């Protein structure tokens, strides 16, 4: 285990040196402050695309249910993954 610990320390030291070298190199390069990727933007775009896909699926399921059933349905987020939920009409008490 002593050899493994020394090996890990050496690897971490090597990685730290490489990290510092890359940071110094990026500071000396023109345009270094421009990020190459925007992970937050990509995540927001994926989330928005997924929401649009779910909305399209809900609309299609709702249209299918209304065309093939005499019941009434609404779109609703469900804990169980249902895209639409059946709605029972309220009857006025007499």
């Amino acid at each position: 285990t002593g050899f493994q610990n020394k090996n890990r320390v050496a690897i971490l030291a090597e990685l730290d040196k490489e990290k510092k070298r890359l940071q110094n190199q990026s500071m000396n390069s023109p345009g270094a402050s421009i990020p190459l990727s925007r992970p937050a933007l990509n995540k927001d775009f994926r989330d928005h695309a997924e929401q649009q896909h779910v909305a399209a699926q809900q609309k299609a399921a709702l249209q299918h249910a209304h065309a093939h059933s005499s019941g009434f349905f609404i779109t609703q987020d469900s804990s169980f993954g249902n895209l639409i939920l059946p709605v029972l009409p309220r009857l006025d008490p007499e």
Side-chain angles (χ1 to χ4, degrees):
T1 60
F3 177 73
Q4 289 177 341
N5 287 338
K6 287 181 183 179
N7 195 17
R8 286 182 184 153
V9 169
I11 291 171
L12 289 173
E14 178 90 21
L15 288 173
D16 193 41
K17 285 181 189 177
E18 185 68 17
K19 180 180 173 183
K20 288 178 182 178
R21 186 185 66 78
L22 288 173
Q23 285 176 345
N24 288 337
Q25 185 181 15
S26 69
M27 292 298 201
N28 296 333
S29 302
S33 63
I34 300 171
L36 297 177
S37 65
R38 296 180 183 169
L41 182 62
N42 290 339
K43 183 183 180 304
D44 291 343
F45 180 75
R46 281 194 310 266
D47 289 346
H48 182 67
E50 185 176 325
Q51 287 174 351
Q52 285 182 335
H53 180 67
V54 169
Q57 285 180 325
Q58 281 180 330
K59 185 177 178 182
L62 189 62
Q63 288 174 345
H64 180 78
H66 282 151
H68 294 90
S69 173
S70 60
F72 184 72
F73 299 85
I74 60 167
T75 58
Q76 177 73 31
D77 289 336
S78 167
S79 300
F80 301 102
N82 299 322
L83 297 175
I84 60 173
L85 298 174
V87 177
L88 300 174
R90 287 191 177 163
L91 301 175
D92 292 330
E94 293 182 23

